[in-house]
């Protein structure tokens, strides 16, 4: 349908399961499609490590559409306080990571987690 996107799970790092009341920051990005693989590598090689050091860090997800270059990064924290205290450092990491990836920010949103514990189907 028009306006729908199919994003591939490129990176998933989960230190602890998401719980109701956690907060997440979602950054939508646009990457030149020919640089998507390099952008995923840059995120995995350096940006993710820095994000993992943020106070209250719980998980990070990177989704990409390799054909269009659309992407989304979601970083979840254990409280609104830790999400808010990560904003400045998060913005610095985002700028550095985006520069390495040749990506541009489309939108940044913050939201409280209100649904948790969705079970993924078992593979195999």
């Amino acid at each position: 349908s028009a306006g729908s996107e199919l994003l591939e799970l490129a990176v998933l790092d989960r230190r602890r399961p998401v719980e109701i009341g956690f907060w997440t920051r979602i950054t939508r990005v646009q990457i030149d499609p020919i640089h998507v693989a390099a952008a995923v590598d840059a995120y995995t090689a350096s940006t993710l490590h820095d994000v993992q050091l943020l106070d209250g860090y719980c998980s990070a997800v990177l989704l990409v559409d390799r054909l269009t270059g659309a992407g989304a990064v979601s970083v979840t924290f254990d409280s609104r306080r830790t999400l808010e205290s990560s904003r400045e450092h998060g913005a610095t990491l985002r700028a550095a990571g985006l520069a390495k990836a040749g990506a541009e920010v489309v939108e940044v949103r913050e939201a409280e987690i209100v649904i948790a514990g969705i079970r993924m189907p078992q593979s195999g």
Side-chain angles (χ1 to χ4, degrees):
S1 66
S4 66
E5 290 178 299
L6 185 60
L7 298 176
E8 166 197 339
L9 178 61
V11 178
L12 170 61
D13 177 69
R14 190 165 77 168
R15 178 167 296 165
R16 56 185 285 199
V18 172
E19 297 173 26
I20 292 170
F22 284 10
W23 279 72
T24 190
R25 179 178 300 111
I26 301 163
T27 304
R28 294 179 58 87
V29 298
Q30 184 62 47
I31 309 160
D32 184 325
I34 64 169
H35 295 135
V36 168
V40 171
D41 289 345
Y43 183 82
T44 307
S46 62
T47 307
L48 180 60
H49 173 72
D50 293 332
V51 169
Q52 290 167 335
L53 299 176
L54 294 170
D55 185 38
Y57 169 81
C58 294
S59 64
V61 175
L62 171 60
L63 304 166
V64 294
D65 180 331
R66 293 179 189 273
L67 292 178
T68 67
V73 179
S74 171
V75 180
T76 301
F77 296 87
D78 61 10
S79 68
R80 184 173 189 161
R81 180 190 62 77
T82 55
L83 172 108
E84 289 175 346
S85 70
S86 77
R87 271 186 198 141
E88 196 172 325
H89 194 182
T92 304
L93 293 178
R94 190 161 53 242
L98 291 167
K100 283 180 194 157
E104 58 187 68
V105 172
V106 176
E107 175 183 45
V108 180
R109 287 189 175 183
E110 295 177 346
E112 184 176 5
I113 304 292
V114 295
I115 298 174
I118 295 172
R119 296 274 180 262
M120 299 303 284
Q122 296 296 313
S123 57

